[in-house]
Amino acid sequence: GDSVTQMEGPVTLSEEAFLTINCTYTATGYPSLFWYVQYPGEGLQLLLKATKADDKGSNKGFEATYRKETTSFHLEKGSVQVSDSAVYFCALISSGNTGKLIFGQGTTLQVKP
Amino acid sequence: GAVVSQHPSRVICKSGTSVKIECRSLDFQATTMFWYRQFPKQSLMLMATSNEGSKATYEQGVEKDKFLINHASLTLSTLTVTSAHPEDSSFYICSAKTGGVETQYFGPGTRLLVL
């Protein structure tokens, strides 16, 4: 079945460091790919998405490129801030399904000043 | 736009009682709503999918008689945890989407503690 695998956390960085959170997926067809962010004690917020190969999603300085050849959707940010500390979830929706999101296990990011 | 609210944000109840959680789409019509459960430091587990006016579709292993879901209107879905027990304590999150749009918008979650 469809699945999403994220790098294990926690990831601890200093402010202004470069961030990469790896995400790979297994799916039939051409899924849509998402990154969601969850701040402490809150629900999930959509961070960015990409719906087809080579698309780049971007928001708030975060970027991720849909790489079909490597089945990856790695999240990057050039300079993280303390306020970016949160849990990041990679997810997919398979083409042709009922809109069910398949989530990765989440990666905790902690940014220290 | 695309705001989803949940009420209550936190609830504490005694074992054996029932608890109702509301999920509302505030500025769009949610033809489909999803209910998730999240354990500490873990990912979200989909419990059920509900389409407005239809019976909910439950994921394997989720007891439909224990977790009653009603999606009576295009802006409201409710999850009732019946005869709650301590093992039902968790963070419950709903999401909503409209029509053929893929993107789901999530509520802020409800933390349930059963004593």
Side-chain angles (χ1 to χ4, degrees), chain B residues 6-80:
Chain B
Q6 280 184 243
H7 178 80
S9 57
R10 291 175 177 270
V11 57
I12 301 174
C13 69
K14 293 182 178 179
S15 186
T17 61
S18 294
V19 174
K20 180 184 284 188
I21 302 169
E22 292 185 349
C23 176
R24 293 182 185 273
S25 57
L26 299 185
D27 51 3
F28 67 101
Q29 294 187 326
T31 51
T32 305
M33 286 184 167
F34 302 85
W35 286 96
Y36 297 84
R37 184 173 179 177
Q38 185 180 31
F39 293 100
K41 301 187 187 300
Q42 294 188 27
S43 190
L44 281 72
M45 180 191 81
L46 179 65
M47 299 174 67
T49 303
S50 73
N51 292 297
E52 185 264 337
S54 303
K55 287 186 178 180
T57 302
Y58 290 81
E59 295 299 299
Q60 193 170 10
V62 178
E63 299 176 59
K64 61 180 66 176
D65 293 331
K66 179 158 189 68
F67 298 100
L68 300 179
I69 291 171
N70 183 277
H71 190 168
S73 78
L74 285 170
T75 58
L76 174 65
S77 176
T78 59
L79 167 67
T80 302

Coordinates of all heavy atoms in Angstrom, one line a residue, chain B residues 6-80:
Chain B
Q6 N -12.7 23.5 16.2 CA -13.1 22.4 17.0 C -13.5 22.9 18.4 O -12.9 23.8 18.9 CB -12.0 21.3 17.1 CG -11.8 20.4 15.9 CD -10.8 19.4 16.1 OE1 -9.8 19.3 15.4 NE2 -11.0 18.5 17.1
H7 N -14.5 22.2 18.9 CA -15.0 22.5 20.2 C -15.4 21.2 21.0 O -16.1 20.4 20.4 CB -16.1 23.5 20.2 CG -16.7 23.8 21.5 ND1 -16.1 24.8 22.4 CD2 -17.7 23.3 22.2 CE1 -16.8 24.8 23.5 NE2 -17.8 24.0 23.4
P8 N -15.0 21.0 22.2 CA -14.1 21.9 23.0 C -12.6 21.7 22.6 O -12.3 20.8 21.9 CB -14.3 21.5 24.4 CG -14.6 20.0 24.3 CD -15.4 19.9 23.0
S9 N -11.7 22.5 23.1 CA -10.3 22.3 22.8 C -9.7 21.3 23.8 O -8.8 20.6 23.5 CB -9.6 23.7 23.0 OG -9.8 24.2 24.2
R10 N -10.3 21.3 25.0 CA -9.9 20.3 26.0 C -11.1 19.8 26.7 O -12.0 20.6 27.0 CB -9.0 20.9 27.1 CG -7.6 21.3 26.6 CD -6.9 22.0 27.7 NE -5.5 22.4 27.3 CZ -4.5 21.6 27.4 NH1 -4.6 20.4 28.1 NH2 -3.3 21.9 27.0
V11 N -11.1 18.5 27.1 CA -12.2 18.0 27.9 C -11.7 16.9 28.8 O -10.9 16.1 28.4 CB -13.4 17.5 27.0 CG1 -13.0 16.5 26.0 CG2 -14.6 17.0 27.8
I12 N -12.2 17.0 30.0 CA -11.9 15.9 31.0 C -13.2 15.3 31.4 O -14.1 16.0 31.7 CB -11.1 16.5 32.2 CG1 -9.8 17.2 31.8 CG2 -10.9 15.4 33.2 CD1 -9.2 17.9 33.0
C13 N -13.3 14.0 31.4 CA -14.5 13.3 31.7 C -14.2 12.1 32.6 O -13.1 11.6 32.6 CB -15.3 13.0 30.5 SG -14.6 11.7 29.5
K14 N -15.3 11.6 33.2 CA -15.2 10.4 34.0 C -15.3 9.2 33.1 O -16.1 9.2 32.1 CB -16.2 10.4 35.1 CG -16.0 11.4 36.2 CD -17.0 11.3 37.3 CE -16.8 12.3 38.4 NZ -17.8 12.3 39.4
S15 N -14.7 8.1 33.5 CA -14.8 6.8 32.8 C -16.3 6.4 32.7 O -17.0 6.5 33.7 CB -14.0 5.8 33.5 OG -14.0 4.6 32.7
G16 N -16.8 6.0 31.5 CA -18.1 5.5 31.4 C -19.1 6.6 30.8 O -20.2 6.3 30.4
T17 N -18.6 7.8 30.8 CA -19.5 8.9 30.2 C -19.2 9.1 28.7 O -18.2 8.5 28.2 CB -19.2 10.2 30.9 OG1 -17.9 10.6 30.8 CG2 -19.6 10.1 32.4
S18 N -20.0 9.8 28.0 CA -19.9 10.1 26.6 C -19.5 11.5 26.4 O -19.9 12.4 27.1 CB -21.1 9.8 25.8 OG -21.4 8.4 25.9
V19 N -18.7 11.7 25.4 CA -18.1 13.0 25.1 C -18.4 13.3 23.6 O -18.1 12.5 22.7 CB -16.6 13.1 25.4 CG1 -16.1 14.5 24.9 CG2 -16.4 12.9 26.9
K20 N -18.9 14.5 23.3 CA -19.1 15.0 21.9 C -18.1 16.1 21.6 O -17.9 17.0 22.3 CB -20.5 15.5 21.7 CG -20.8 15.9 20.3 CD -22.2 16.5 20.1 CE -23.3 15.4 20.1 NZ -24.6 16.0 19.8
I21 N -17.5 15.9 20.4 CA -16.5 16.9 19.9 C -17.1 17.4 18.6 O -17.5 16.6 17.7 CB -15.2 16.2 19.6 CG1 -14.6 15.7 20.9 CG2 -14.2 17.3 19.1 CD1 -13.4 14.8 20.7
E22 N -17.1 18.7 18.4 CA -17.6 19.3 17.2 C -16.5 19.8 16.3 O -15.5 20.3 16.8 CB -18.5 20.5 17.6 CG -19.8 20.1 18.2 CD -20.7 21.4 18.4 OE1 -20.2 22.5 18.2 OE2 -21.9 21.2 18.8
C23 N -16.7 19.7 15.0 CA -15.8 20.2 14.0 C -16.6 21.0 13.0 O -17.6 20.5 12.5 CB -15.1 19.0 13.3 SG -14.0 19.5 12.0
R24 N -16.2 22.3 12.9 CA -16.9 23.2 12.0 C -16.0 23.8 10.9 O -14.9 24.2 11.3 CB -17.6 24.3 12.8 CG -18.7 23.9 13.7 CD -19.3 25.1 14.4 NE -20.3 24.6 15.4 CZ -21.6 24.4 15.1 NH1 -22.0 24.6 13.9 NH2 -22.4 24.0 16.1
S25 N -16.5 23.9 9.7 CA -15.8 24.6 8.7 C -16.5 26.0 8.7 O -17.7 26.1 8.5 CB -15.9 24.0 7.3 OG -17.3 23.8 7.0
L26 N -15.7 27.0 8.9 CA -16.2 28.4 9.2 C -16.5 29.2 7.9 O -17.4 30.1 7.9 CB -15.3 29.2 10.1 CG -15.1 28.5 11.5 CD1 -14.2 29.4 12.4 CD2 -16.4 28.2 12.2
D27 N -15.8 28.9 6.9 CA -15.9 29.8 5.7 C -15.9 29.1 4.4 O -15.7 29.6 3.4 CB -14.8 30.9 5.7 CG -13.4 30.2 5.8 OD1 -13.3 29.0 5.9 OD2 -12.4 31.0 5.9
F28 N -16.2 27.8 4.5 CA -16.4 27.0 3.3 C -17.3 25.8 3.6 O -17.5 25.4 4.7 CB -15.1 26.5 2.7 CG -14.3 25.5 3.5 CD1 -14.3 24.2 3.2 CD2 -13.6 25.9 4.6 CE1 -13.6 23.2 4.0 CE2 -12.9 25.0 5.4 CZ -12.9 23.7 5.1
Q29 N -17.8 25.2 2.5 CA -18.7 24.1 2.7 C -17.9 22.8 2.6 O -17.2 22.5 1.6 CB -19.8 24.1 1.6 CG -20.8 25.2 1.8 CD -21.9 25.1 0.8 OE1 -21.7 24.7 -0.3 NE2 -23.1 25.6 1.2
A30 N -17.9 22.0 3.7 CA -17.1 20.8 3.8 C -17.9 19.6 3.3 O -18.7 19.1 4.1 CB -16.6 20.7 5.2
T31 N -17.7 19.2 2.1 CA -18.4 18.0 1.7 C -17.9 16.7 2.3 O -18.6 15.8 2.4 CB -18.3 17.9 0.1 OG1 -17.0 18.0 -0.2 CG2 -19.1 19.0 -0.5
T32 N -16.6 16.8 2.7 CA -16.0 15.6 3.3 C -15.2 16.1 4.6 O -14.5 17.1 4.5 CB -15.0 14.9 2.4 OG1 -15.7 14.6 1.2 CG2 -14.5 13.6 3.0
M33 N -15.4 15.4 5.6 CA -14.6 15.6 6.9 C -14.0 14.4 7.3 O -14.5 13.3 7.1 CB -15.5 16.2 8.0 CG -15.9 17.6 7.7 SD -16.9 18.3 9.1 CE -16.8 20.1 8.7
F34 N -12.8 14.5 7.9 CA -12.0 13.4 8.4 C -11.8 13.5 9.9 O -11.6 14.6 10.4 CB -10.7 13.3 7.7 CG -10.8 13.2 6.2 CD1 -10.9 14.4 5.4 CD2 -10.7 12.0 5.5 CE1 -11.0 14.3 4.0 CE2 -10.8 11.9 4.1 CZ -10.9 13.1 3.4
W35 N -11.7 12.4 10.6 CA -11.4 12.4 12.0 C -10.1 11.6 12.2 O -10.0 10.5 11.7 CB -12.5 11.9 12.8 CG -13.7 12.8 12.9 CD1 -14.8 12.9 12.2 CD2 -13.8 13.9 13.9 NE1 -15.6 13.9 12.6 CE2 -15.0 14.5 13.6 CE3 -13.0 14.4 14.9 CZ2 -15.5 15.6 14.4 CZ3 -13.4 15.4 15.7 CH2 -14.6 16.1 15.4
Y36 N -9.2 12.2 12.9 CA -7.9 11.6 13.2 C -7.7 11.5 14.7 O -8.2 12.3 15.5 CB -6.8 12.4 12.6 CG -6.7 12.5 11.1 CD1 -7.5 13.5 10.5 CD2 -5.9 11.7 10.3 CE1 -7.4 13.6 9.1 CE2 -5.9 11.8 9.0 CZ -6.6 12.8 8.4 OH -6.6 12.9 7.0
R37 N -6.9 10.5 15.1 CA -6.4 10.4 16.4 C -4.9 10.5 16.5 O -4.3 9.9 15.6 CB -6.9 9.1 17.0 CG -6.7 8.9 18.5 CD -7.4 7.6 18.9 NE -7.1 7.4 20.3 CZ -7.6 6.4 21.1 NH1 -8.4 5.5 20.5 NH2 -7.3 6.3 22.3
Q38 N -4.4 11.2 17.4 CA -2.9 11.3 17.5 C -2.5 11.0 18.9 O -2.9 11.7 19.9 CB -2.5 12.7 17.1 CG -1.0 12.9 17.0 CD -0.6 14.3 16.6 OE1 -1.2 15.3 16.9 NE2 0.6 14.4 16.0
F39 N -1.6 10.0 19.0 CA -1.0 9.7 20.3 C 0.3 10.5 20.5 O 0.9 11.0 19.5 CB -0.7 8.2 20.4 CG -1.9 7.4 20.4 CD1 -2.4 6.7 19.3 CD2 -2.7 7.2 21.6 CE1 -3.6 6.0 19.3 CE2 -3.8 6.4 21.6 CZ -4.3 5.8 20.5
P40 N 0.7 10.7 21.7 CA 1.9 11.6 22.0 C 3.1 11.2 21.1 O 3.4 10.0 21.0 CB 2.1 11.3 23.5 CG 0.8 11.0 24.0 CD 0.1 10.2 23.0
K41 N 3.7 12.2 20.5 CA 4.9 12.0 19.7 C 4.7 11.0 18.5 O 5.7 10.4 18.1 CB 6.0 11.6 20.6 CG 6.4 12.6 21.7 CD 7.6 12.2 22.4 CE 7.9 13.1 23.6 NZ 8.0 14.5 23.2
Q42 N 3.5 10.8 18.1 CA 3.2 9.9 17.0 C 2.5 10.7 15.8 O 2.0 11.8 16.0 CB 2.4 8.7 17.4 CG 3.2 7.8 18.4 CD 2.4 6.5 18.6 OE1 1.6 6.1 17.8 NE2 2.6 5.9 19.8
S43 N 2.4 10.0 14.7 CA 1.7 10.6 13.6 C 0.2 10.5 13.8 O -0.3 9.9 14.8 CB 2.1 9.8 12.3 OG 1.6 10.5 11.2
L44 N -0.6 11.0 12.8 CA -2.0 11.0 12.9 C -2.5 9.7 12.3 O -2.1 9.2 11.3 CB -2.6 12.1 12.0 CG -2.6 13.5 12.7 CD1 -1.2 14.1 12.7 CD2 -3.5 14.4 11.9
M45 N -3.5 9.1 13.0 CA -4.2 7.9 12.5 C -5.6 8.2 12.1 O -6.4 8.7 12.9 CB -4.2 6.9 13.7 CG -4.9 5.5 13.3 SD -5.2 4.5 14.7 CE -6.7 5.2 15.3
L46 N -5.9 8.0 10.8 CA -7.2 8.2 10.3 C -8.2 7.3 11.0 O -8.0 6.1 11.0 CB -7.3 8.1 8.8 CG -8.6 8.4 8.2 CD1 -9.1 9.8 8.4 CD2 -8.6 8.0 6.7
M47 N -9.3 7.8 11.5 CA -10.3 7.0 12.2 C -11.4 6.8 11.2 O -11.9 5.7 11.1 CB -10.8 7.7 13.4 CG -9.8 7.9 14.5 SD -10.5 8.9 15.8 CE -11.7 7.7 16.5
A48 N -11.9 7.8 10.5 CA -13.1 7.7 9.7 C -13.2 8.9 8.8 O -12.6 10.0 9.0 CB -14.3 7.6 10.5
T49 N -13.9 8.6 7.7 CA -14.2 9.7 6.7 C -15.7 9.8 6.6 O -16.4 8.8 6.6 CB -13.7 9.2 5.3 OG1 -12.3 8.9 5.4 CG2 -14.0 10.3 4.2
S50 N -16.2 11.1 6.7 CA -17.6 11.3 6.6 C -17.9 12.3 5.5 O -17.3 13.3 5.3 CB -18.2 11.8 7.9 OG -17.8 13.1 8.2
N51 N -18.9 11.9 4.7 CA -19.4 12.8 3.7 C -20.8 13.3 4.1 O -21.6 12.5 4.7 CB -19.6 12.0 2.3 CG -18.2 11.7 1.8 OD1 -17.4 12.5 1.4 ND2 -17.9 10.4 1.7
E52 N -21.1 14.5 3.8 CA -22.3 15.2 4.3 C -23.5 14.4 3.9 O -23.6 14.0 2.7 CB -22.4 16.6 3.8 CG -23.5 17.4 4.3 CD -24.7 17.4 3.3 OE1 -24.5 17.1 2.1 OE2 -25.9 17.6 3.8
G53 N -24.3 14.0 4.8 CA -25.6 13.3 4.5 C -25.4 11.8 4.4 O -26.4 11.1 4.2
S54 N -24.2 11.3 4.5 CA -24.0 9.9 4.4 C -23.4 9.3 5.7 O -22.9 10.0 6.5 CB -23.0 9.6 3.3 OG -23.5 10.1 2.1
K55 N -23.5 8.0 5.8 CA -22.8 7.3 6.9 C -21.3 7.4 6.8 O -20.8 7.3 5.7 CB -23.2 5.9 7.0 CG -24.7 5.7 7.5 CD -25.0 4.2 7.6 CE -26.4 3.9 8.1 NZ -26.7 2.5 8.3
A56 N -20.6 7.5 7.9 CA -19.2 7.6 7.9 C -18.6 6.2 7.5 O -19.1 5.2 7.8 CB -18.7 8.0 9.3
T57 N -17.4 6.3 6.9 CA -16.6 5.1 6.6 C -15.5 5.0 7.5 O -14.6 5.9 7.6 CB -16.1 5.2 5.1 OG1 -17.2 5.4 4.2 CG2 -15.3 4.0 4.8
Y58 N -15.5 3.9 8.3 CA -14.5 3.8 9.4 C -13.3 3.0 8.9 O -13.4 2.1 8.0 CB -15.1 3.1 10.6 CG -16.1 3.9 11.3 CD1 -17.4 4.0 10.8 CD2 -15.7 4.6 12.5 CE1 -18.3 4.9 11.5 CE2 -16.6 5.4 13.1 CZ -17.9 5.5 12.6 OH -18.8 6.3 13.3
E59 N -12.1 3.3 9.4 CA -10.9 2.6 9.1 C -10.9 1.3 9.8 O -11.6 1.1 10.9 CB -9.7 3.4 9.4 CG -9.5 4.7 8.6 CD -9.4 4.4 7.1 OE1 -8.4 3.7 6.7 OE2 -10.3 4.8 6.3
Q60 N -10.1 0.4 9.3 CA -10.0 -1.0 10.0 C -9.6 -0.8 11.4 O -8.6 -0.1 11.7 CB -9.1 -1.8 9.2 CG -9.1 -3.3 9.5 CD -8.3 -4.2 8.6 OE1 -7.6 -3.6 7.7 NE2 -8.5 -5.5 8.7
G61 N -10.2 -1.5 12.3 CA -9.8 -1.5 13.7 C -10.5 -0.4 14.5 O -10.3 -0.4 15.7
V62 N -11.2 0.5 13.9 CA -11.9 1.6 14.6 C -13.4 1.1 14.9 O -14.1 0.8 13.9 CB -11.9 2.9 13.8 CG1 -12.7 4.0 14.6 CG2 -10.5 3.3 13.6
E63 N -13.8 1.2 16.1 CA -15.1 0.7 16.5 C -16.1 1.7 16.2 O -16.2 2.8 16.8 CB -15.2 0.4 18.0 CG -14.2 -0.7 18.4 CD -14.3 -0.9 19.9 OE1 -15.4 -1.2 20.4 OE2 -13.2 -0.7 20.6
K64 N -17.0 1.4 15.3 CA -18.0 2.4 14.9 C -19.1 2.7 15.9 O -19.7 3.8 16.0 CB -18.7 2.0 13.6 CG -19.4 0.7 13.6 CD -20.0 0.4 12.2 CE -19.0 0.2 11.2 NZ -19.5 -0.2 9.9
D65 N -19.3 1.7 16.8 CA -20.3 1.9 17.9 C -19.7 2.7 19.0 O -20.4 3.2 19.8 CB -20.7 0.6 18.4 CG -21.6 -0.2 17.3 OD1 -22.2 0.5 16.5 OD2 -21.5 -1.4 17.4
K66 N -18.4 2.8 19.1 CA -17.7 3.5 20.1 C -17.5 5.0 19.7 O -17.6 5.9 20.5 CB -16.4 2.9 20.5 CG -15.7 3.7 21.6 CD -14.7 2.8 22.3 CE -14.2 3.5 23.5 NZ -15.2 3.7 24.6
F67 N -17.1 5.1 18.5 CA -16.8 6.5 17.9 C -17.9 6.8 16.9 O -17.8 6.5 15.7 CB -15.4 6.5 17.3 CG -14.3 6.2 18.3 CD1 -13.7 4.9 18.3 CD2 -13.8 7.2 19.1 CE1 -12.7 4.6 19.2 CE2 -12.8 6.9 20.0 CZ -12.3 5.6 20.1
L68 N -18.9 7.5 17.4 CA -20.1 7.8 16.5 C -19.8 9.1 15.8 O -19.5 10.1 16.4 CB -21.3 7.9 17.4 CG -21.8 6.7 18.2 CD1 -23.0 7.0 19.0 CD2 -22.0 5.5 17.2
I69 N -19.9 9.1 14.5 CA -19.7 10.3 13.7 C -20.9 10.7 12.9 O -21.6 9.8 12.3 CB -18.5 10.0 12.7 CG1 -17.2 9.9 13.5 CG2 -18.4 11.1 11.7 CD1 -16.0 9.4 12.7
N70 N -21.2 11.9 13.0 CA -22.4 12.5 12.3 C -22.0 13.7 11.5 O -21.3 14.6 12.0 CB -23.5 12.9 13.4 CG -24.7 13.4 12.7 OD1 -24.8 14.6 12.3 ND2 -25.7 12.5 12.5
H71 N -22.4 13.7 10.3 CA -22.0 14.9 9.4 C -23.3 15.4 8.8 O -23.6 15.1 7.6 CB -21.0 14.4 8.3 CG -20.4 15.4 7.5 ND1 -19.3 15.2 6.7 CD2 -20.7 16.7 7.4 CE1 -19.0 16.3 6.1 NE2 -19.8 17.3 6.5
A72 N -24.1 16.1 9.6 CA -25.4 16.4 9.3 C -25.5 17.6 8.3 O -26.6 17.8 7.7 CB -26.2 16.7 10.5
S73 N -24.5 18.4 8.3 CA -24.6 19.6 7.4 C -23.2 19.8 6.8 O -22.3 19.2 7.1 CB -25.0 20.9 8.2 OG -23.9 21.3 9.0
L74 N -23.2 20.8 5.9 CA -22.0 21.0 5.1 C -20.9 21.8 5.9 O -19.8 22.1 5.4 CB -22.3 21.8 3.8 CG -22.9 21.0 2.7 CD1 -23.4 21.8 1.6 CD2 -21.9 19.9 2.2
T75 N -21.3 22.2 7.2 CA -20.3 22.9 8.0 C -20.1 22.3 9.3 O -19.3 22.8 10.1 CB -20.8 24.4 8.2 OG1 -22.1 24.3 8.8 CG2 -20.9 25.1 6.9
L76 N -20.7 21.1 9.6 CA -20.6 20.6 10.9 C -20.5 19.1 10.9 O -21.3 18.4 10.3 CB -21.8 21.0 11.8 CG -21.9 20.3 13.2 CD1 -20.7 20.8 14.1 CD2 -23.2 20.7 13.8
S77 N -19.5 18.5 11.6 CA -19.4 17.1 11.9 C -19.1 16.9 13.4 O -18.4 17.7 14.0 CB -18.3 16.5 11.1 OG -18.1 15.1 11.4
T78 N -19.7 15.9 13.9 CA -19.5 15.6 15.3 C -18.9 14.2 15.5 O -19.3 13.3 14.8 CB -20.7 15.8 16.2 OG1 -21.7 14.9 15.7 CG2 -21.3 17.2 16.1
L79 N -18.1 14.1 16.5 CA -17.5 12.8 16.9 C -17.9 12.6 18.4 O -17.6 13.4 19.2 CB -16.0 12.8 16.8 CG -15.3 11.6 17.5 CD1 -15.6 10.3 16.8 CD2 -13.7 11.9 17.5
T80 N -18.6 11.5 18.7 CA -19.0 11.2 20.0 C -18.3 10.0 20.5 O -18.4 8.9 19.8 CB -20.6 11.0 20.1 OG1 -21.2 12.2 19.7 CG2 -21.0 10.7 21.6

